[in-house]
Amino acid sequence: ADQTANRPDSVQAMEQAILRRADLALVTSEPLLAAKREFQANTHLVPNGVDFAAFAVARTQPQQLAVFEHAPHPRLGFVGAINEKVDLSLLSALAAADRSWQIVLVGPVTLRYHLDDLAALRSQPNVHLIGALPVAQVPHAIAACDVCLMPYKINAWTHHISPLKLYEYLAIGRPIVSTNIPAVVTQADLAPLVAVAHDAAEMIAEVERALSRAHDHAAAAARREFAAQQTWDVRVDQIAQLISAALKSKEMST
């Protein structure tokens, strides 16, 4: 294979060429929408979604997971790969802020760099790296947490992401505390549903606030109501309509 294909500039040039030739482009975040419309006017935002029914079952019929036996409440949970997107130092700060808080991390460790940060996190007595779980158990893992975390670094990678876990957390209805990634702060509808922190001190304060409001049933219902409108069926309908419109436009221009 051409080694230049691995170079960012070359990949970017190929992507731009494909966008210009396409009839329709779909992106998952507002920053991607802004970046790609420059090269393809018919670019549309279709964020990630959620299997709301599966998460509703986990909420109403929770399963006790053996892997959580050594992590008593209150549990601060993160579900996802432990990689370079995740702010490990921030998680360590949370763990040190209150030793009664159990930091539960569900997902594979795929980190290649910053291994010292990972070692420091592992050394915290109230941090539990559970590893990957079967997909069917993920809703139950989220339901077993008291606060759901989105502890992402602010960098070029996270600038464009649309975290799947955001919609999964919302579907369970637990309080959510996130760093100020665009996927959260650019969606006005999320403002009352997701607490945003700009640094470790704010993250700690927001977790304390979330735990104090753990029994706010109205807030939980609002999160679930939002998630119920973000199902994969809704997303497929959006995509189908966009494809139909693109085909119709192409037919009319030929």
Side-chain angles (χ1 to χ4, degrees):
D2 186 351
Q3 291 184 349
T4 62
N6 292 322
R7 297 176 185 170
D9 289 348
S10 178
V11 171
Q12 188 176 58
M14 288 189 289
E15 181 193 70
Q16 292 171 6
I18 291 170
L19 284 169
R20 289 189 176 102
R21 291 177 57 190
D23 298 301
L24 169 68
L26 305 176
V27 297
T28 57
S29 71
E30 290 282 358
L32 282 174
L33 182 65
K36 306 313 173 188
R37 271 193 170 161
E38 179 181 352
F39 308 101
Q40 173 51 252
N42 196 26
T43 299
H44 297 269
L45 174 63
V46 181
N48 272 315
V50 64
D51 182 354
F52 186 77
F55 283 81
V57 169
R59 183 179 65 82
T60 57
Q61 303 173 36
Q63 293 180 8
Q64 300 301 317
L65 302 181
V67 291
F68 280 26
E69 285 180 357
H70 302 293
H73 295 277
R75 296 174 183 145
L76 315 183
F78 171 79
V79 175
I82 306 300
N83 55 27
E84 279 70 23
K85 294 196 302 290
V86 180
D87 192 334
L88 303 181
S89 296
L90 180 59
L91 289 172
S92 286
L94 275 177
D98 189 326
R99 290 301 185 196
S100 73
W101 295 352
Q102 305 300 307
I103 315 299
V104 181
L105 309 176
V106 178
V109 177
T110 60
L111 199 72
R112 296 176 59 193
Y113 309 104
H114 311 296
L115 297 181
D116 289 346
D117 290 339
L118 178 62
L121 182 63
R122 285 186 184 276
S123 72
Q124 304 284 343
N126 52 333
V127 171
H128 310 267
L129 281 88
I130 301 298
L133 291 179
V135 172
Q137 291 185 17
V138 169
H140 296 282
I142 295 173
C145 295
D146 300 290
V147 175
C148 295
L149 302 174
M150 294 178 58
Y152 289 115
K153 293 178 180 178
I154 306 301
N155 56 28
W157 190 355
T158 60
H159 183 72
H160 295 99
I161 62 172
S162 172
L164 185 64
K165 66 185 58 61
L166 169 61
Y167 301 99
E168 295 177 342
Y169 290 170
L170 289 165
I172 291 295
R174 296 287 183 268
I176 303 167
V177 182
S178 175
T179 54
N180 58 319
I181 57 171
V184 172
V185 299
T186 60
Q187 291 193 65
D189 290 346
L190 291 177
L193 308 177
V194 180
V196 175
H198 296 80
D199 55 30
E202 286 190 10
M203 180 70 78
I204 292 166
E206 291 296 349
V207 166
E208 290 174 338
R209 188 174 293 110
L211 287 171
S212 73
R213 299 174 179 174
H215 300 293
D216 187 337
H217 300 300
R223 295 184 196 102
R224 294 194 299 269
E225 183 178 350
F226 179 87
Q229 308 304 315
Q230 318 299 320
T231 66
W232 290 117
D233 285 344
V234 169
R235 297 293 187 250
V236 169
D237 286 345
Q238 292 174 330
I239 292 170
Q241 290 173 18
L242 289 167
I243 291 173
S244 294
L247 289 172
K248 185 175 180 179
S249 176
K250 194 174 181 68
E251 289 171 0
M252 292 175 65
S253 64
T254 56

